[in-house]
Amino acid sequence: MIEIDRESMTPMYVQLASVLRERIRRGDIPVGRRIPSYYELEQQTGGAVSRRTIKSAIEVLAAEGIVQGAQGKGVFVIAKPEDGPPTTDRPAPDS
């Protein structure tokens, strides 16, 4: 089960990307393996997130070079995330 905190200030897609990134880092989803489908991820979150949110989370991982889609086959892990803080292509909010 994937826990998503709907009340958190962290967007749901960022939370989901973090969970997937950690699963890949730990080797639960090894390089070369397909990540769960949108439907499977939706089920694993108990329906807490939409397919658009899942797509956004996968786009973050793709931008980081961790996953890559294969037309008609799914999204596959192509690299383990580096240790350290996760990165996103979004700028930090002004303080």
Side-chain angles (χ1 to χ4, degrees), residues 17-84:
S18 293
V19 169
L20 292 172
R21 188 183 300 106
E22 181 60 19
R23 286 182 174 181
I24 294 165
R25 190 191 64 71
R26 284 192 324 243
D28 295 343
I29 309 172
V31 173
R33 185 76 51 86
R34 182 181 64 84
I35 67 169
S37 69
Y38 285 33
Y39 175 78
E40 291 166 327
L41 289 169
E42 190 175 24
Q43 296 303 305
Q44 289 179 24
T45 64
V49 298
S50 69
R51 288 182 183 235
R52 177 66 197 136
T53 299
I54 294 166
K55 184 176 191 294
S56 295
I58 291 170
E59 287 171 349
V60 167
L61 298 177
E64 293 174 4
I66 296 171
V67 300
Q68 182 176 17
Q71 185 69 29
K73 296 185 179 176
V75 178
F76 292 83
V77 177
I78 59 171
K80 280 184 90 168
E82 295 180 20
D83 289 332

